[in-house]
Amino acid sequence: MAALIAPSMLAADFLHLEDAVQTVNAYADLFHLDIMDGHFVPNISFGFPVVESIAQAAMRPLDIHLMIRHPQTYIERFCNIPGAGMLSFHLDATREDPEPILGIIGNAGVKAGIAINPDIPVEKLFPYLDLCDFVLIMSVYAGFGGQSFMEETYGRVARTKEEITRRGLATRIEVDGGVSPKNARQLIECGVDILVAGSAVFKAQNPAEVIAAMRGE
Ligand code: DX5
Ligand code: ZN
């Protein structure tokens, strides 16, 4: 079993962003980009110009993780960025029905996902599993890089995987927050398909080695 690895650019050196992209270009499966608005989460990250610049250098699809209120307002614009491959928004970031939002993402040719923070029961995702290409189960509270992995994530992933399997769906599971070679194997065993890792990759001496170790090769 192997997982896709999505380095989170939030942990990159923003003064040398192109170097950071090049560091992982040959090893990453996806580029995870965290968009924070200062409302849905108490932090602000980066926006369109930065995403578009990363897109120019990235050789792999962009995995855009929206941590913004009213995500529907910006979804089309993000989907239209060349290289956008996956886009997720948080279930509780909008009062609107997620179904049409997932439809807009899918119609743009981008894989659609719903994200949830650790305090939201994974069962809340279940009604949407057949509409999502993937679900993003946060293993820290969204908002900041460099936090500690929450151990309850294993059980949350396993319950979600069980439901996906029971219903014969192809929905993929992504985990984000505090992911490193220490927990990657167990996450993959529980059913994770995509591992997001920021600090573990970009603060490492040898990011390529860390990516290979997490992939389960
Ligand atoms: C947190 C972000 C994560 C973060 C992961 O809100 O969604 O993607 O960048 O960073 P690490 O791997 O350092 O926890
Ligand atoms: Zn993220």
Side-chain angles (χ1 to χ4, degrees), residues 107-178:
N107 287 339
V110 174
K111 302 251 182 285
I114 296 181
I116 53 165
N117 265 319
D119 59 349
I120 297 186
V122 288
E123 287 72 18
K124 296 261 184 199
L125 290 172
F126 291 2
Y128 309 107
L129 284 177
D130 56 334
L131 304 168
C132 290
D133 295 297
F134 69 102
V135 289
L136 170 45
I137 298 176
M138 293 299 300
S139 37
V140 301
Y141 281 93
F144 300 90
Q147 302 180 71
S148 299
F149 177 82
M150 296 170 71
E151 300 282 324
E152 51 265 48
T153 310
Y154 299 122
R156 287 164 60 76
V157 169
R159 289 211 303 285
T160 308
K161 181 67 182 181
E162 197 180 284
E163 178 72 4
I164 290 170
T165 308
R166 190 181 66 77
R167 287 162 56 187
L169 300 172
T171 322
R172 297 205 279 184
I173 300 176
E174 179 174 38
V175 164
D176 180 10

Side-chain angles (χ1 to χ4, degrees), residues 189-209:
E189 281 168 7
C190 291
V192 171
D193 303 287
I194 305 160
L195 292 167
V196 176
S199 313
V201 170
F202 286 106
K203 312 290 183 220
Q205 292 283 357
N206 189 336
E209 239 173 55

Side-chain angles (χ1 to χ4, degrees), residues 38-55:
H39 291 278
F40 180 68
V41 288
N43 196 11
I44 296 175
S45 57
F46 48 79
F48 294 108
V50 173
V51 175
E52 284 159 0
S53 299
I54 292 171

Side-chain angles (χ1 to χ4, degrees), residues 21 25 31 33 48-62 64 81-84:
V21 173
N25 237 345
F31 282 86
L33 305 182
F48 294 108
V50 173
V51 175
E52 284 159 0
S53 299
I54 292 171
Q56 284 180 41
M59 295 195 305
R60 296 296 187 159
L62 309 181
I64 301 170
I81 295 173

Side-chain angles (χ1 to χ4, degrees), residues 93-116:
T94 175
R95 287 194 192 137
E96 288 189 23
D97 179 2
E99 183 166 352
I101 305 177
L102 292 165
I104 295 169
I105 302 171
N107 287 339
V110 174
K111 302 251 182 285
I114 296 181
I116 53 165

Side-chain angles (χ1 to χ4, degrees), residues 1-5 29 172-173 184-185 187-189 191-195 211-217:
M1 265 191 308
L4 299 179
I5 308 298
D29 299 291
R172 297 205 279 184
I173 300 176
R185 176 180 291 272
L187 284 169
I188 293 169
E189 281 168 7
V192 171
D193 303 287
I194 305 160
L195 292 167
I211 290 174
M214 285 191 294
R215 202 190 297 283
E217 284 165 340

Side-chain angles (χ1 to χ4, degrees), residues 54-98:
I54 292 171
Q56 284 180 41
M59 295 195 305
R60 296 296 187 159
L62 309 181
D63 166 30
I64 301 170
H65 174 195
L66 298 184
M67 286 161 275
I68 63 175
R69 277 201 193 142
H70 312 301
Q72 60 274 18
T73 314
Y74 293 102
I75 267 169
E76 283 179 275
R77 201 164 155 196
F78 278 110
C79 285
N80 287 334
I81 295 173
M86 294 170 55
L87 185 82
S88 59
F89 60 92
H90 278 254
L91 185 60
D92 52 342
T94 175
R95 287 194 192 137
E96 288 189 23
D97 179 2

